[in-house]
Amino acid sequence: MLDHVFISVSDIDRSVAFYEKALAPLGIAHAVDYDGKDGPPGHPDLKGFGANGRVFFWLRNGVVEGRAAHVGFVANGKPEVDAAYAAAMAAGAAEIHPPGPQLHYDPRYYAAQVTDPDGYSIEFVYKSWQHER
């Protein structure tokens, strides 16, 4: 199980604004800012997002290679997938695929996929056999 992921973004303020909107329907919020000078030499400044007392998704300014990462966020049902997709699109995402069953994986795999402002592949996922309420 993963504890956290960092991705480098080209415009930290733009990306924070995008993710604040796109992740809100999933209950994920901008939770903390970390000042890199408080860490070991060379540690980057970070913007952290999380839910339920955990911060697990971090943004940092840096070199972007949008195709280098794909991040899937857990949704608690199909309506959350739909809402996150709509929020991401309203925040400026580009569509990869709209909400729907991903039959090539499993008929119970319901997801939507977009690209963020830097071209990273972001997926909102509900797997009824794994993400049951």
Side-chain angles (χ1 to χ4, degrees):
M1 179 176 293
L2 296 175
D3 181 72
H4 60 275
V5 173
F6 290 10
I7 63 170
S8 295
V9 298
S10 61
D11 181 331
I12 196 77
D13 294 330
R14 177 186 69 180
S15 291
V16 167
F18 173 81
Y19 282 104
E20 284 175 343
K21 293 173 186 161
L23 300 179
L26 304 177
I28 300 171
H30 179 190
V32 66
D33 294 338
Y34 180 80
D35 191 334
K37 70 176 175 37
D38 294 335
H43 197 291
D45 292 340
L46 300 169
K47 305 294 185 180
F49 289 76
N52 303 318
R54 292 189 60 235
V55 181
F56 48 83
F57 181 68
W58 296 87
L59 304 175
R60 64 180 173 200
N61 270 322
V63 176
V64 171
E65 174 47 66
R67 294 173 295 165
H70 168 81
V71 181
F73 291 95
V74 173
N76 289 315
K78 293 176 183 179
E80 278 193 10
V81 170
D82 298 345
Y85 168 81
M89 294 300 289
E95 178 183 89
I96 295 174
H97 67 75
Q102 303 305 297
L103 301 176
H104 50 281
Y105 295 131
D106 186 285
R108 302 165 296 167
Y109 189 123
Y110 187 87
Q113 192 173 350
V114 301
T115 57
D116 80 352
D118 285 305
Y120 290 110
S121 170
I122 306 299
E123 188 172 14
F124 311 112
V125 182
Y126 174 64
K127 299 175 182 174
S128 62
W129 72 99
Q130 290 181 348
H131 306 159
E132 301 228 31
R133 290 185 154 172

